[in-house]
């Protein structure tokens, strides 16, 4: 009993330490745990979304030019349910899961079918409908209410420098899609900084 | 200002042979296309422009989006007129060409000339409009020649495409030069639009456009996402300007006080000149040797100084010069009130600027010398000197002065102090010192008045 108790204590301490640090970005990176990639790994300058409405667009996230959208609680699509969100990263990352949170009153507007296209620099709605996605996610209302992130295929998203998220439909077949929070969990890859490869990568893209 | 890839769709159908737009629709169009190419490449060094034609054997991309102005111009010069134009296919091709632009950071824009009837149905136009809007392609339409038949369709199309006011329809009347008309249209002015910077930073009324929005401009006309450095720079400079203005406002009251105090010597000078005119030179030289130099230096300085004054805005400067000119007009005994009031104005700044100069002039020479120097100065200023004398003579008219004082708000002409001052003023023409004192007194009252006004 004593010996087991000692083992418990050790595990408990480790657990406590882990609990305390698990929201610390440095700890997560060091331990190889996931981080919210929106927190410092997204290249906001080139981030953009097609099909968003002018009244409820994605807010400017560049910290140098942060303009607050007072009272903005959600992002909305414009003329129909479809939205095409381009998320470039400032270094190579591994994507692990993607989740959305929607206001409880907007659950029927929440995204339902979501297609993901990693590592493509250009995509429009025609391409999105005709190209095979790397993965298709289907969200339920519960997922949206809790903000549960659905996990992504480890093989296809292990080394990603940009991803297109194509929201094709919403829960209640509504005219527009709305979302309040978006979580993209993953892990930055070591030594995958674009800064070091900037010149070569720029040439290859051109 | 936004980084853009533009595709110019030229209408080279047979309709454009029409000469209703001078010189012909086609020539006018090429001229404007030229202008747009120039404007777009000026707006941002990485802006690219492509050129395509909508008529002829088929819709054809003549120049793929490029930053090279030479390529654009040579592409334009090779276009010839043939067939009828296919608007729908033209727009679709343009969209496709834009989609494959090398620099994906560029926003997409189609600028389309329409000089022939649009045959597509409204339904088709709506579909293509929605598609453009969804893919965030801005569309500018330039309808010229016979604009009437296309008007309804095109404005509907623009209404469909437009998001965040990024698309425009310009209908050019046939009696106007096409390129001139475009120069002042939003199609060219998009970049120059930042001139009218609204001063409201905190308003947040403009939701700063979409992360992608073609016209994603905020209060500065700059999309913060597209160019955060510029946005920050603008914001900082605006804030600095504000704090500077605030500081200026705090200093201003003190400055005004000073000006009013400096008004006194000018008045003294005025009195003295008037006496000189009346031939009482002796009294003048005896009583106030510094006075004449003071006046004429003051008057001579005014004109030059007003023009050289840096801290003064243009409007004020013009007002000052204007009031000087009015001064120059021979003063009738019965001067209208308004003019009289304006006359008061120049005295203040003039005195302010002349204060230093007059002091040195007074120090340099005694009465006679001072006067000759002053005369020379007055001559150099043209009518300025005479004007000064005339204006000041007016103040010698007791009826006029009384009326003027009566017209000022908060002044009671029957006030014993004012009475006394007036009497001193008119009675003391012979004796300089008391005259000067009178001027002093009157000024003091005036100061009170203006304080009340504030």
């Amino acid at each position: 009993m004593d010996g087991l108790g000692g083992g418990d204590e050790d595990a408990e301490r480790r657990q406590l330490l882990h609990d305390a640090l698990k929201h610390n970005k440095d700890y997560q990176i060091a331990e190889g745990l996931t981080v919210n990639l929106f927190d410092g790994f997204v290249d906001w300058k080139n981030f953009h979304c097609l099909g968003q409405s002018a009244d409820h667009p994605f807010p400017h996230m560049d910290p140098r030019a942060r303009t607050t959208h007072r009272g903005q609680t959600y992002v909305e699509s414009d003329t129909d349910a479809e939205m095409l969100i381009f998320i470039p990263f400032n270094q190579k990352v591994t994507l692990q899961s993607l989740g959305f949170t929607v206001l409880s009153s907007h659950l029927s507007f929440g995204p339902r079918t979501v297609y993901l296209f990693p590592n493509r620099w250009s995509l429009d709605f025609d391409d999105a409908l005709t190209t095979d996605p790397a993965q298709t996610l289907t969200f339920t209302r519960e997922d949206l209410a809790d903000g549960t992130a659905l996990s992504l295929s480890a093989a296809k998203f292990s080394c990603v420098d940009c991803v297109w998220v194509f929201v094709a439909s919403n829960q209640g077949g509504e005219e527009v899609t709305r979302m309040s929070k978006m979580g993209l969990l993953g892990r930055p890859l070591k030594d995958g900084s674009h800064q070091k490869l900037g010149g070569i990568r720029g040439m290859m893209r051109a | 200002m936004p980084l853009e890839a533009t595709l110019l769709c030229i209408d080279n159908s047979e309709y454009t042979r029409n000469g209703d737009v001078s010189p012909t629709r086609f020539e006018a169009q090429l001229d404007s296309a030229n202008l747009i190419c120039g404007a777009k490449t000026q707006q941002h060094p990485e802006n690219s422009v492509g050129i395509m034609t909508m008529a002829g054997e088929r819709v054809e991309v003549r120049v793929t989006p490029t930053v090279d102005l030479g390529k654009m111009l040579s592409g334009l010069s090779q276009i010839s007129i043939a067939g009828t134009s296919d608007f729908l296919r033209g727009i679709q091709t343009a969209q496709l060409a834009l989609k494959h632009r090398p620099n994906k950071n560029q926003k997409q824009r189609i600028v389309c000339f329409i000089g022939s009837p649009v045959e597509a149905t409204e339904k088709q136009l709506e579909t293509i409009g929605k598609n453009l809007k969804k893919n965030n392609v801005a569309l500018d339409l330039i309808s010229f020649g016979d604009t009437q038949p296309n008007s309804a369709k095109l404005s509907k199309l623009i209404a469909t495409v437009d998001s965040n006011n990024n698309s425009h329809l310009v209908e050019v009347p046939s009696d106007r030069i096409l390129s001139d008309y475009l120069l002042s249209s939003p199609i060219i002015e998009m970049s120059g639009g930042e001139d009218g910077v609204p001063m409201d930073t905190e308003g947040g009324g403009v939701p700063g456009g979409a992360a992608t929005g073609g016209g994603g401009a905020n209060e500065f006309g700059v999309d913060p996402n597209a160019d955060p450095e510029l946005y920050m720079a603008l914001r900082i400079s605006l804030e600095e300007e504000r704090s500077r203005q605030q500081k200026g406002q705090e200093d201003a009251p003190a400055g005004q006080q000073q000006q009013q105090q400096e008004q006194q010597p000018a008045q003294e000078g005025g009195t003295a000149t008037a006496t000189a005119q009346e031939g009482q030179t002796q009294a003048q030289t005896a009583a106030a040797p510094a006075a004449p130099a003071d006046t004429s230096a003051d008057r001579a300085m005014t004109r030059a100084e007003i023009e050289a004054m840096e801290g003064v805005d243009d409007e004020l400067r013009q007002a000052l010069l204007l009031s000087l000119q009015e001064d120059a007009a021979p003063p009738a005994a019965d001067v209208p009130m308004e003019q009289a009031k304006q006359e008061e104005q120049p005295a203040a700044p003039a005195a302010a600027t002349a204060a230093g100069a007059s002091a040195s002039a007074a120090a340099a020479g005694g009465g006679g010398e001072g006067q000759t120097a002053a005369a020379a100065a007055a001559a150099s200023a043209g009518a300025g000197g005479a004007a000064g004398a005339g204006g000041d003579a007016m103040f010698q008219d007791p009826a006029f002065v009384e009326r003027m004082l009566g017209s000022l708000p908060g002044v009671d002409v029957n006030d014993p102090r004012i009475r006394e001052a007036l009497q001193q003023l008119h009675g003391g023409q012979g004796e300089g010192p008391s005259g000067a004192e009178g001027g002093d007194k009157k000024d003091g009252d005036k100061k009170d008045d203006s304080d009340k006004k504030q």
Side-chain angles (χ1 to χ4, degrees), chain B residues 71-85:
Chain B
K71 267 189 196 164
M72 302 171 206
L73 299 185
S74 70
L76 277 174
S77 66
Q78 284 163 14
I79 300 173
S80 57
I81 301 177
T84 54
S85 88

Side-chain angles (χ1 to χ4, degrees), chain A residues 81-137:
Chain A
E82 292 178 355
M83 278 174 116
L84 197 50
I85 307 162
F86 177 59
I87 308 168
F89 300 105
N90 50 21
Q91 65 173 82
K92 287 206 184 290
V93 296
T94 302
L95 297 186
Q96 288 171 339
S97 58
L98 171 72
F100 295 100
T101 310
V102 177
L103 296 178
S104 53
S105 55
H106 291 168
L107 275 183
S108 68
F109 294 92
R112 186 165 175 274
T113 315
V114 174
Y115 302 101
L116 291 152
F117 303 89
N119 295 333
R120 291 180 63 116
W121 287 94
S122 141
L123 198 78
D124 66 10
F125 284 100
D126 295 338
D127 297 335
L129 289 170
T130 52
T131 320
D132 285 338
Q135 189 163 5
T136 308
L137 298 175

